[in-house]
Amino acid sequence: MIPGFGMTLGFALTYLALIVLIPLAGLLWRSAALGWSDFWRLAFDPRTLHALEVSFGAALLAACINVLFGVPVAWVLTRYRFPGRRVLDAMVDLPFALPTAVAGISLAALYAPNGWIGSLLAPLGIKVAFTPLGIVVALIFIGLPFVVRTLQPVVAEIDREIEEAAATLGASRRQTLARVILPSLTPAILTGFALALARAVGEYGSVIFIAGNIPFVSEIAPLLIVIRLEEFNYAGATAVAAIMLAISFAMLLAINLIQAWSRRRFGHGS
Amino acid sequence: MAAEVASVERAAAIARVRAATTESRGGRLALIAVAVAFLALFLLLPLAAVFTEALRQGLGAYLAALAEPDALAAIRLTLIVAAIAVPLNLLFGLAAAWAIAKFEFPGKALLTTLIDLPFSVSPVISGLIYVLLFGAGSALGPWLQRHGVEILFATPGIVLATLFVTFPFVARELIPLMQEQGTTDEEAALSLGASGWQTFLRVTLPNVKWGLLYGVLLCNARAMGEFGAVSVVSGHIRGLTDTMPLHVEILYNEYNFVAAFAVASLLALLALLTLVLKALLELRFDGRSGAGH
């Protein structure tokens, strides 16, 4: 009989309750205490709705771009051998390791009208920094590893014999990719997309430096929480936070459902 | 002669199948070009920009920015916060993994899900919950103030917010690893007369040491780099409650770009070091856990 069950479970539960559950429950309790009409007024005022729209729209666009480029990146890094592959592969985790504030000021410097990339785009009339487009750029950076890292193990596990079978049955490479490979990657693509989206919706540090933060234009929902707090408007901050938390949990549920479906359908869970 | 013809035919058939199971040379090169260009644009350029901007006015200005007292205070606070938060979450990770991996009990799946919860909470909300708990408008706030206990806008608040955002890192590495290893090693040690602690220290810990280091590494990177959650609880008092990422923001907002990027470059170096150690650990134990944080 292995000892220590009571002690480890007791410590884990106490610590979980103190650090995570009680503070989160506090937020829910405070938003419930607002009462329905106050909550409705604070959570759905035009500025809040607009901030949620900006957060969601930008996160959605960034997640789509990450899927579009993340699929080839995962494919190339897993299937091909070329000089520099290992370094690039390790670099994919940079957004996990680089503090968001550092990413934020660096992207702002790159895409500012006098920055390396901004100065190339300025003659074309494209402004990225301090516009909603800047938010998308920051969220692409933040979400990139979620898509690539979710896809890589699945690409590595594809059975080459299936591709050979398709080829000997007369399928062209293009047909094999579209009809055999892509369907087997679909659950992983969906999971990566959802993870990138979930992270991007709540992202703060990398966005605020490049966004311009203009109310009704480029103001994200997490920033609005900070602004409400700075005005000592705790009720307002709580209402926006409760809405965002509900959205996050809905997305978490969606991710779990995708994974359960994928396990049933394809026998692997990501 | 006939044998040669047969072997040529077979080689041709193999070449046909191979051509149909991989992309054409041109297609491969195009895909590599797309992937490299995308990663260069979104990963390498931002990293390069940090160091270029930091050294814009030469090494002298760079070093002067780092030697500034407020910068040094921010570095010290960041190290203190990580030195408290990482060991606590390590302890929790070990306890949770031991309970979940070595025993059966109802509610195990729910507990595992709850441990991952902080990853799906926006960093700003992670800070806000402590403001609501300990702030002036809370039930605890006035009591704390009367007794002179400072949590918000002081180091304890920063530590709490950091604990929350780095909560799952160690546990989520250890739980699957210890589940995979089962209980046979521990049972053998115990049946040979080892005590519970001896079994843990001499059998379990060596078995999971690489996964443990991996989790600690990621936990530490996030603890030192967290911005949103810490920003909400810190109060931004220069030289007192500023961590390195917050100090970067203050300097940047003062248009002191060289100093902002100088402090940022230290954090970027930490990120690079993290990536190198992570790659080395992945070579040692094939423990890449995929995405999710």
Side-chain angles (χ1 to χ4, degrees):
Chain A
M1 187 58 200
I2 296 174
F5 177 65
M7 188 183 72
T8 54
L9 188 67
F11 174 69
L13 287 177
T14 312
Y15 188 76
L16 177 73
L18 286 178
I19 302 293
V20 178
L21 299 182
I22 293 174
L24 272 179
L27 171 67
L28 298 181
W29 187 75
R30 288 284 283 262
S31 56
L34 285 175
W36 188 240
S37 66
D38 269 352
F39 181 81
W40 191 268
R41 185 174 49 77
L42 291 166
F44 296 100
D45 84 318
R47 187 167 169 191
T48 310
L49 281 181
H50 213 282
L52 285 170
E53 209 178 294
V54 170
S55 275
F56 257 93
L60 211 58
L61 192 56
C64 288
I65 294 172
N66 270 327
V67 164
L68 200 65
F69 288 96
V71 174
V73 166
W75 185 262
V76 161
L77 289 180
T78 314
R79 276 289 177 101
Y80 301 163
R81 295 292 171 266
F82 57 94
R85 183 189 64 92
R86 272 179 176 284
V87 175
L88 274 183
D89 190 41
M91 285 291 292
V92 167
D93 285 323
L94 182 71
F96 287 152
L98 192 70
T100 53
V102 178
I105 62 167
S106 171
L107 289 170
L110 276 177
Y111 287 88
N114 60 352
W116 291 345
I117 301 174
S119 61
L120 296 177
L121 296 173
L124 307 171
I126 304 171
K127 273 164 89 180
V128 177
F130 320 123
T131 72
L133 211 53
I135 304 176
V136 178
V137 168
L139 296 182
I140 293 173
F141 175 84
I142 289 301
L144 192 156
F146 289 96
V147 175
V148 176
R149 289 297 186 232
T150 311
L151 273 166
Q152 272 181 316
V154 185
V155 171
E157 262 179 38
I158 294 175
D159 193 347
R160 292 267 186 149
E161 280 176 17
I162 296 173
E163 290 168 67
E164 282 166 20
T168 49
L169 289 170
S172 71
R173 185 60 186 164
R174 196 169 297 233
Q175 285 172 319
T176 309
L177 285 178
R179 303 231 185 130
V180 179
I181 309 254
L182 205 55
S184 67
L185 293 183
T186 307
I189 292 176
L190 281 175
T191 306
F193 176 83
L195 287 171
L197 181 69
R199 172 68 205 266
V201 167
E203 177 57 20
Y204 173 71
S206 60
V207 174
I208 53 163
F209 295 99
I210 197 175
N213 306 327
I214 306 155
F216 295 99
V217 177
S218 54
E219 184 177 71
I220 54 167
L223 176 65
L224 193 56
I225 297 178
V226 173
I227 291 174
R228 293 291 182 238
L229 271 179
E230 280 167 1
E231 299 165 350
F232 299 103
N233 180 355
Y234 287 4
T238 306
V240 182
I243 291 283
M244 288 197 61
L245 213 53
I247 294 166
S248 303
F249 291 163
M251 282 198 286
L252 192 66
L253 188 67
I255 294 168
N256 284 331
L257 288 177
I258 295 170
Q259 283 176 334
W261 167 73
S262 144
R263 256 191 297 275
R264 270 201 315 278
R265 174 91 167 64
F266 299 92
H268 57 71
S270 65
Chain B
M1 189 64 187
E4 264 176 43
V5 170
S7 82
V8 167
E9 272 175 2
R10 213 180 58 217
I14 290 172
R16 249 198 326 276
V17 169
R18 189 163 295 156
T21 54
T22 184
E23 292 70 52
S24 68
R25 197 180 150 71
R28 279 207 303 273
L29 288 177
L31 273 179
I32 292 178
V34 167
V36 171
F38 183 69
L39 294 181
L41 183 64
F42 280 98
L43 298 179
L44 302 184
L45 266 176
L47 192 61
V50 174
F51 294 103
T52 317
E53 296 288 332
L55 293 167
R56 186 161 284 250
Q57 286 167 18
L59 198 62
Y62 175 78
L63 293 175
L66 292 182
E68 208 240 342
D70 286 345
L72 289 176
I75 294 171
R76 209 181 59 225
L77 181 59
T78 295
L79 292 176
I80 290 172
V81 169
I84 301 172
V86 175
L88 278 176
N89 278 341
L90 168 64
L91 208 60
F92 164 74
L94 279 169
W98 181 270
I100 289 174
K102 308 288 178 198
F103 302 93
E104 290 304 323
F105 57 94
K108 202 156 118 169
L110 177 68
L111 178 58
T112 317
T113 311
L114 288 178
I115 289 173
D116 268 345
L117 206 56
F119 277 155
S120 39
V121 175
S122 169
V124 169
I125 298 178
S126 313
L128 170 71
I129 54 177
Y130 293 106
V131 174
L132 294 180
L133 207 59
F134 299 115
S138 72
L140 272 175
W143 187 88
L144 290 173
Q145 206 169 21
R146 268 204 309 281
H147 292 78
V149 184
E150 282 190 321
I151 293 182
L152 285 181
F153 316 127
T155 310
I158 299 174
V159 171
L160 280 173
T162 307
L163 280 176
F164 184 95
V165 292
T166 60
F167 189 85
F169 279 105
V170 180
R172 69 167 9 226
E173 288 304 325
L174 285 182
I175 290 168
L177 190 63
M178 278 166 73
Q179 269 175 333
E180 204 178 296
Q181 287 172 348
T183 55
T184 42
D185 287 2
E186 282 79 9
E187 276 158 6
L190 290 164
S191 73
L192 290 172
S195 72
W197 277 111
Q198 282 173 323
T199 308
F200 172 73
L201 290 173
R202 305 232 184 126
V203 178
T204 312
L205 217 47
N207 273 346
V208 300
K209 63 174 182 250
W210 298 121
L212 188 96
L213 275 176
Y214 193 89
V216 166
L217 188 69
L218 298 178
C219 184
N220 180 63
R222 182 72 192 265
M224 291 192 172
E226 177 54 27
F227 177 74
V230 169
S231 161
V232 170
V233 296
S234 124
H236 304 271
I237 307 164
R238 247 186 124 122
L240 215 55
T241 65
D242 256 350
T243 62
M244 286 169 79
L246 298 179
H247 197 55
V248 168
E249 185 198 21
I250 289 190
L251 293 169
Y252 187 85
N253 287 342
E254 288 171 348
Y255 302 101
N256 191 350
F257 294 132
V258 167
F261 278 100
V263 178
S265 75
L266 290 184
L267 290 166
L269 283 176
L270 173 76
L272 284 177
L273 181 70
T274 303
L275 291 187
V276 170
L277 291 176
K278 185 168 176 292
L280 287 177
L281 281 175
E282 275 162 5
L283 285 180
R284 288 224 76 145
F285 96 117
D286 189 32
R288 171 172 294 169
S289 62
H293 44 72

